[in-house]
Amino acid sequence: MIVNETFAHSVWPNQNPLGKTFIEWKGHPARVVGVVADIHESRDNPTIFPTLYEPYTASTTSVQSVTFIVKLRPGATFET
């Protein structure tokens, strides 16, 4: 799993979360392989929630679409 900073700081304060394991919401064990910056999910609500990101291929939910937010360095290009 990849977790956001809020999740990492709330579960493992003052510790390196990489490699830590926990039981995720579906009851399965998960290992932290990365930490990403917090994002605001809504302009109307500044609250940042602890968030888990699982690989798309590991998801057991039925997903109709996937949205990616890509930030590029100035001068970089992106092709789909």
Side-chain angles (χ1 to χ4, degrees), residues 56 63-68:
Y56 177 73
V63 178
Q64 298 296 321
S65 66
V66 177
T67 301
F68 295 95

Side-chain angles (χ1 to χ4, degrees), residues 7-46:
F7 183 97
H9 293 308
S10 64
V11 177
W12 302 287
N14 302 315
Q15 296 180 47
N16 181 353
L18 295 178
K20 301 282 189 184
T21 58
F22 62 97
I23 303 300
E24 50 104 342
W25 66 275
K26 292 181 276 187
H28 303 139
R31 180 179 309 274
V32 177
V33 297
V35 179
V36 296
D38 292 330
I39 61 168
H40 293 278
E41 295 186 22
S42 167
R43 292 180 184 171
D44 300 329
N45 183 356

Side-chain angles (χ1 to χ4, degrees), residues 34-77:
V35 179
V36 296
D38 292 330
I39 61 168
H40 293 278
E41 295 186 22
S42 167
R43 292 180 184 171
D44 300 329
N45 183 356
T47 304
I48 297 174
F49 299 99
T51 306
L52 306 172
Y53 300 92
E54 69 178 341
Y56 177 73
T57 56
S59 177
T60 58
T61 59
S62 175
V63 178
Q64 298 296 321
S65 66
V66 177
T67 301
F68 295 95
I69 299 172
V70 178
K71 293 184 179 182
L72 301 174
R73 291 177 297 218
T77 61

